[in-house]
Amino acid sequence: MTRVLLVTSSILADQGQSTQLARHFERLARQRDDIEITHRDVVADDLPHLGLDELSSWQVADAERSEAQRELATRSDERLAELEAHDVLVLAVPLYNLGIPSQLKAWFDRILRAGKSFRYTENGPVGLLEGKRAIVLGARGGQYAGSALDTQTPHLRHMLGLIGINEVETVFAEGLSMGDEHKEAALTTAHAEIEALIARL
Ligand SMILES: Cc1cc2nc3c(=O)[nH]c(=O)nc-3n(C[C@H](O)[C@H](O)[C@H](O)COP(=O)(O)O)c2cc1C
């Protein structure tokens, strides 16, 4: 059984193009009885920015946490446990202002946790999550993939690499704001790439 955690992050919810790519992935995955899929929408989740009180709660041992600290630490503990329980992380990611949605960053801020998902060593950080891979389904108004202007993909790869997820595949629907013809062609290609990805899962 392959357990897939599908994370969506469009502020347009179901109308989002990245959500539509995720839905396509999900429809195909659900036709397979050897794939189990869990959906988490980080926009609906509405996590606040990571702040000092929450960060501090991570430094306190479970047994010594106050009630408030226990509650704050749960935000990260639960999301990390969810990720750990899956084999494949599928991230449906819009490009907003040249970066990832802030809601997705808030999710990563709970996942990238020293001592839990990576540790610092004399040779630099080492990821602690093992045997996982990731798939990024990206939706973009313009065209960036493969160019130096695509700072979003390296950002995602570095964050995933930090916690030990080094196998990352990408599917982009790009140029979605560059006219209907362009958009249709980009979505058709992305759908075909998703079908090929699922066949390899
Ligand atoms: C707030 C906002 C910021 C955006 N910034 C960019 C951008 O920097 N570059 C770009 O190519 N497209 C940009 N777009 C267009 C989106 O990438 C495009 O609409 C894509 O479909 C977003 O994914 P979604 O439909 O899943 O939300 C932006 C759209 C929004 C709403």
Side-chain angles (χ1 to χ4, degrees):
M1 184 62 70
T2 303
R3 291 157 302 173
V4 174
L5 177 61
L6 175 63
V7 174
T8 52
S9 59
S10 171
I11 57 174
L12 302 183
D14 265 346
Q15 304 306 313
Q17 295 297 338
S18 60
T19 316
Q20 290 303 315
L21 297 179
R23 292 284 179 221
H24 187 60
F25 183 100
E26 191 173 6
R27 263 193 305 277
L28 295 169
R30 291 209 186 277
Q31 289 168 13
R32 292 254 306 261
D33 51 18
D34 58 341
I35 299 178
E36 240 174 47
I37 193 156
T38 309
H39 180 205
R40 176 168 285 278
D41 185 333
V42 293
V43 176
D45 241 10
D46 204 19
L47 276 171
H49 292 302
L50 176 63
L52 180 58
D53 286 348
E54 188 177 343
L55 187 72
S56 305
S57 76
W58 299 351
Q59 322 301 332
V60 182
D62 282 3
E64 285 159 31
R65 282 182 186 140
S66 66
E67 190 55 39
Q69 285 174 326
R70 227 186 322 275
E71 237 173 74
L72 286 171
T74 300
R75 290 178 187 159
S76 167
D77 288 346
E78 285 184 353
R79 282 157 187 87
L80 254 177
E82 183 174 61
L83 177 58
E84 277 164 354
H86 293 81
D87 311 299
V88 182
L89 171 64
V90 179
L91 295 170
V93 188
L95 182 69
Y96 292 154
N97 300 321
L98 303 175
I100 62 173
S102 53
Q103 292 90 343
L104 184 58
K105 180 60 167 54
W107 181 83
F108 268 109
D109 285 342
R110 274 49 182 222
I111 295 293
L112 309 185
R113 189 166 151 195
K116 288 277 186 185
S117 56
F118 71 96
R119 65 189 169 83
Y120 291 109
T121 74
E122 283 174 6
N123 301 316
V126 174
L128 297 176
L129 303 191
E130 282 172 11
K132 297 191 196 305
R133 60 200 181 99
I135 295 169
V136 174
L137 308 176
R140 296 153 169 206
Q143 281 185 308
Y144 302 87
S147 92
L149 293 175
D150 182 9
T151 52
Q152 187 195 51
T153 307
H155 184 209
L156 285 166
R157 284 187 186 279
H158 287 313
M159 288 194 290
L160 292 167
L162 181 67
I163 57 176
I165 305 180
N166 294 301
E167 198 184 327
V168 182
E169 290 183 87
T170 54
V171 172
F172 295 115
E174 289 204 310
L176 300 179
S177 309
M178 295 168 67
D180 287 347
E181 216 171 291
H182 201 113
K183 179 177 173 180
E184 287 316 310
L187 291 173
T188 302
T189 305
H191 277 214
E193 287 177 20
I194 289 169
E195 282 151 34
L197 263 176
I198 296 263
R200 294 201 302 276
L201 269 188

